[in-house]
Amino acid sequence: MPDLTLMLKLFAPVLAAGALSGGSTAAVGVYVVGMRVPLLGVCISHAALAGAVLGALAGLSGEWLMAPALGAAMAAALLLGLLDPRRLRADANVTMGFLFVLMLGLTFLGIGLLERQGSGREAAMGLLWGGLTFCTWRDVAYMAVVAAAQVGFLATFGKEMRAILFSRDHAAASGVRVGAVWTGFLVLTSAALAVNFQTVGGLMIYGLMVCPAAGAFQLVRGHGRALLVAVAMGAASGVGGFLLALWGNVPSAGAMIVLLAAGLAVAAWMGGRLRRG
Amino acid sequence: MSGVIDITELEVRAGRTRLLHVDRWSVKAGEMHVVLGPNGAGKSTLLRALTGFVRPASGRACVLGEDVTTLGFRAMGHLRRRVAYMPQVLPPGGEMPLTVREVVAIGRTGLVGLGRRLRREDWRVVDAWIDRLGLAPVAGRRYSDGSGGEQRKTLIAKAMVQQPELLLLDEPTANLDLRWREEVVDAIETVHADEGVTTVMVCHELDVVPPSCDGLLLLEDGRAVAAGTEREVLTDVNVARLFGARVHVVWSDGRAAALPVGRGGEDA
């Protein structure tokens, strides 16, 4: 029988990281799913991934990889903020799709170069699939700072974000400073994705963004409620995914995503029943 | 110049293509004007120019005393809080969990100011307009679950909670069935009559022009081809020319409708 106290002490930072990571990315997901721009999240997360891989190529490791990841994610976010979908001839998702594959291309190019260096394969795989099990309190502190910034931003600009979630055009027509608020959101999004992708990996973070938000939209009405339910679902899947991984001795990111997919399926079923009933 | 809207030689271009040219057009405080024309006539471009969403190539367009052709970004933001503009395109609603009440409250967002929370008084205004436009039974429902008519009325309520000095409505009755078209026209009439807010409505159907309309502007291929009262502008000749079909304009209770005339009708 394992010592529960010892287990909790050992895994407390991992559980905290799982909850923060799930909640933080789910909050981003509410807007990217609600505005039908899920590629935006993928684009920024893969920019972070490309930044981290290039950082690894430059000899950085561990938490130092967060700096190039954050830099690349913010650069991508600002670029996306500057692109006004109304002025583009192509749909915004097309532009984001292009940026996404560009970032993915850079990532795999970097991974190839890392492999050529000999010792980079493990680091690269870690960036792709994450490593929740190895989270420390220091990682948790970074995540907590970003999560607190997200809470602060949404508490301050919640009504502006609600207006933008409805329609950028309608928000602008009502005198909302769409550009400033949206850019602020994108910068925070890039920070959230950059500090969290090391725990769940650059490939899986998309699921953490999309599934809780999509699930919450099935279950509840209202901006605030959807945000709370999505964050709760994300945090629960972060913690639950780790416990599932521990129990089944399987990779934590995969367990997290399977749990999220199951949660989304249950939410869709319950949502259907709620609408009918 | 003393109108709520005063336009002089306004021209909007997209590259070499002229999208809109209006020599002169004026709307006075408290009036309701309708801009009529077929698809692609430049009606929406006119409203977008008045709200600073497109930058005119030349001319002047004064809205509430401000020349929008020269206004800076910040000043335009201030002006938009005084003008309620309802764009033509409805936001896609599939994923959005926003309730009707929340969507109506968006109209207060710019007015209350960046980073400030809506107060009890703001929600009182929101609920009052929800009641006035008969949206109370659906206020807690998802906006995206509403019918096209309910969504239009929600957007009108959203515009009105802004307590605007000027209301600009771009095709508020597009794609609605007869019942909802009438409900929306009634809502616009109520808003105009009770609040006295200066209103400009864009449409391409004669029968949605409200009876309280003070003036009509006819646009064709980006040019203003006629302006005046309903009776002056909505003649058989003007309407036939505009829509490229032989029609006879009939009047009932102050409202006009175009009846297509067959080949025989022309002789009669």
Side-chain angles (χ1 to χ4, degrees), chain B residues 50-71:
Chain B
L50 292 175
T51 44
F53 286 105
V54 293
R55 189 62 84 173
S58 60
R60 280 168 61 87
C62 286
V63 176
L64 298 168
E66 308 271 7
D67 185 357
V68 295
T69 59
T70 58
L71 273 190

Side-chain angles (χ1 to χ4, degrees), chain B residues 38-133:
Chain B
N39 293 327
K43 308 184 295 294
S44 297
T45 304
L46 175 62
L47 293 196
R48 290 180 70 79
L50 292 175
T51 44
F53 286 105
V54 293
R55 189 62 84 173
S58 60
R60 280 168 61 87
C62 286
V63 176
L64 298 168
E66 308 271 7
D67 185 357
V68 295
T69 59
T70 58
L71 273 190
F73 178 74
R74 191 174 283 267
M76 184 56 79
H78 284 296
L79 181 65
R80 281 181 191 159
R81 286 168 210 162
R82 299 167 65 197
V83 178
Y85 165 47
M86 181 177 136
Q88 181 182 356
V89 180
L90 290 174
E95 271 76 45
M96 270 188 320
L98 299 186
T99 63
V100 166
R101 187 169 184 253
E102 283 181 319
V103 171
V104 174
I106 289 170
R108 298 293 285 184
T109 306
L111 201 66
V112 168
L114 192 67
R116 297 203 180 121
R117 295 173 73 90
L118 295 184
R119 295 151 300 170
R120 192 173 294 175
E121 167 63 15
D122 297 307
W123 286 108
R124 199 192 58 71
V125 175
V126 168
D127 291 332
W129 274 104
I130 285 174
D131 272 345
R132 284 177 72 173
L133 294 187

Side-chain angles (χ1 to χ4, degrees), chain A residues 30 33-36 86 155-157 159-160 162-167 169-177 179-181 216-224 226 275, chain B residues 53 74 77 80-81 83 85 87 89 91-99 102-103 105-107 109-110 112-118 123 140-143 155 158 162:
Chain A
V30 166
V33 175
M35 292 175 72
R36 291 183 173 177
R86 285 166 300 198
T156 310
F157 302 112
K159 75 177 195 312
E160 282 82 7
R162 183 173 61 200
I164 293 170
L165 177 64
F166 180 64
S167 153
D169 269 354
H170 280 258
S174 300
V176 175
R177 292 174 66 183
V181 177
F217 290 0
Q218 298 290 325
L219 294 173
V220 292
R221 294 188 289 254
H223 173 232
R275 280 190 292 277
Chain B
F53 286 105
R74 191 174 283 267
R80 281 181 191 159
R81 286 168 210 162
V83 178
Y85 165 47
V89 180
E95 271 76 45
M96 270 188 320
L98 299 186
T99 63
E102 283 181 319
V103 171
I106 289 170
T109 306
V112 168
L114 192 67
R116 297 203 180 121
R117 295 173 73 90
L118 295 184
W123 286 108
R141 283 199 215 149
R142 283 177 193 236
Y143 166 83
L155 295 180
K158 171 181 150 299
Q162 203 176 323

Side-chain angles (χ1 to χ4, degrees), chain B:
Chain B
M1 292 203 178
S2 59
V4 171
I5 298 174
D6 281 302
I7 285 179
T8 316
E9 298 294 342
L10 184 74
E11 186 157 300
V12 179
R13 305 186 77 91
R16 289 185 173 187
T17 313
R18 190 175 69 180
L19 300 179
L20 179 72
H21 183 92
V22 178
D23 294 335
R24 219 163 252 285
W25 187 50
S26 173
V27 176
K28 291 192 175 67
E31 289 183 343
M32 179 189 285
H33 283 242
V34 172
V35 181
L36 201 72
N39 293 327
K43 308 184 295 294
S44 297
T45 304
L46 175 62
L47 293 196
R48 290 180 70 79
L50 292 175
T51 44
F53 286 105
V54 293
R55 189 62 84 173
S58 60
R60 280 168 61 87
C62 286
V63 176
L64 298 168
E66 308 271 7
D67 185 357
V68 295
T69 59
T70 58
L71 273 190
F73 178 74
R74 191 174 283 267
M76 184 56 79
H78 284 296
L79 181 65
R80 281 181 191 159
R81 286 168 210 162
R82 299 167 65 197
V83 178
Y85 165 47
M86 181 177 136
Q88 181 182 356
V89 180
L90 290 174
E95 271 76 45
M96 270 188 320
L98 299 186
T99 63
V100 166
R101 187 169 184 253
E102 283 181 319
V103 171
V104 174
I106 289 170
R108 298 293 285 184
T109 306
L111 201 66
V112 168
L114 192 67
R116 297 203 180 121
R117 295 173 73 90
L118 295 184
R119 295 151 300 170
R120 192 173 294 175
E121 167 63 15
D122 297 307
W123 286 108
R124 199 192 58 71
V125 175
V126 168
D127 291 332
W129 274 104
I130 285 174
D131 272 345
R132 284 177 72 173
L133 294 187
L135 292 165
V138 296
R141 283 199 215 149
R142 283 177 193 236
Y143 166 83
S144 53
D145 287 346
S147 67
E150 283 168 344
Q151 291 187 353
R152 300 301 165 114
K153 282 175 83 170
T154 303
L155 295 180
I156 293 171
K158 171 181 150 299
M160 288 314 296
V161 300
Q162 203 176 323
Q163 295 173 324
E165 294 165 60
L166 172 63
L167 178 62
L168 302 175
L169 303 165
D170 196 349
E171 305 226 16
T173 58
N175 304 319
L176 295 182
D177 64 26
L178 189 61
R179 179 207 146 193
W180 276 110
R181 228 163 55 180
E182 282 306 296
E183 284 223 18
V184 170
V185 171
D186 274 353
I188 295 166
E189 282 268 273
T190 306
V191 161
H192 180 248
D194 295 354
E195 299 295 308
V197 60
T198 312
T199 304
V200 175
M201 173 174 146
V202 154
C203 61
H204 59 243
E205 300 142 315
L206 272 57
D207 53 353
V208 297
V209 176
S212 59
C213 170
D214 296 294
L216 257 154
L217 175 69
L218 240 59
L219 292 181
E220 184 191 23
D221 291 334
R223 285 177 304 112
V225 290
T229 64
E230 267 183 284
R231 294 272 178 182
E232 288 166 351
V233 173
L234 295 180
T235 60
D236 289 0
V237 175
N238 274 344
V239 175
R241 175 187 162 188
L242 214 60
F243 295 100
R246 283 192 292 271
V247 294
H248 176 54
V249 178
V250 291
W251 294 86
S252 173
D253 291 334
R255 290 178 69 175
L259 280 182
V261 179
R263 287 179 189 281
E266 192 181 27
D267 302 331

